[in-house]
Amino acid sequence: MFVYTGYTGLTSDPGRKADTVAPLVEKATEALPDSTAIPTSARSWVRINAGVQLGGGLLLATGRVPRAASLALAGTLVPATVVDHPFWAESDPRPAASSSCTS
C-alpha cells in the first residue's frame, strides 16, 4: 500500500491533495519562526509525504531497517488522517453508513 501510494503521489499531479492540505501547511508554517528552512508549499509537502511512503514501504518490504521504516510510515499516516479522514468533524452522531447495520 505504501509503495503504491508513494509512487502515485510522486508521479501524479499533487493538485487536489495540495489544495486539501494547504490550510494545514499554512497553520504549521505560521507557528514556526521565519528563519526555518522548511518548504512552505503544500505541493512540496505532498511530494515529501509520498517520497517517505515510497522509500519507507520499499525498506519495509525488503526487511532493511524495519523499525525506522515503520516509524517513518506511521508518521506519514498522521497528516493523511487529519486531511483525508476528519472523523471528529462529523456532526451527525449516527452517520448514514452505520444505519445499514441495524438489526
Side-chain angles (χ1 to χ4, degrees), residues 60-74:
L60 191 62
T62 58
R64 300 180 190 272
V65 290
R67 290 181 183 169
S70 299
L71 181 63
L73 290 171

Side-chain angles (χ1 to χ4, degrees), residues 5-6 10-11 30 44 47 52 68 76 82 103:
T5 304
L10 287 173
T11 58
E30 286 174 3
S44 297
R47 296 230 184 237
V52 171
T76 66
V82 168
S103 357

Side-chain angles (χ1 to χ4, degrees), residues 1 4 10-11 15 21 25 32-33 37 39-40 42 46 59-62 68 73 79 81 85 87 94 96 99 101-102:
M1 177 191 109
Y4 176 77
L10 287 173
T11 58
V21 79
V25 171
L32 296 172
T40 57
V46 169
L59 287 172
L60 191 62
T62 58
L73 290 171
T81 301
H85 309 288
F87 60 87
R94 193 173 136 177
S99 64
C101 298
T102 58

Side-chain angles (χ1 to χ4, degrees), residues 28-29 31-40:
T29 54
L32 296 172
D34 291 336
S35 62
T36 56
I38 63 164
T40 57

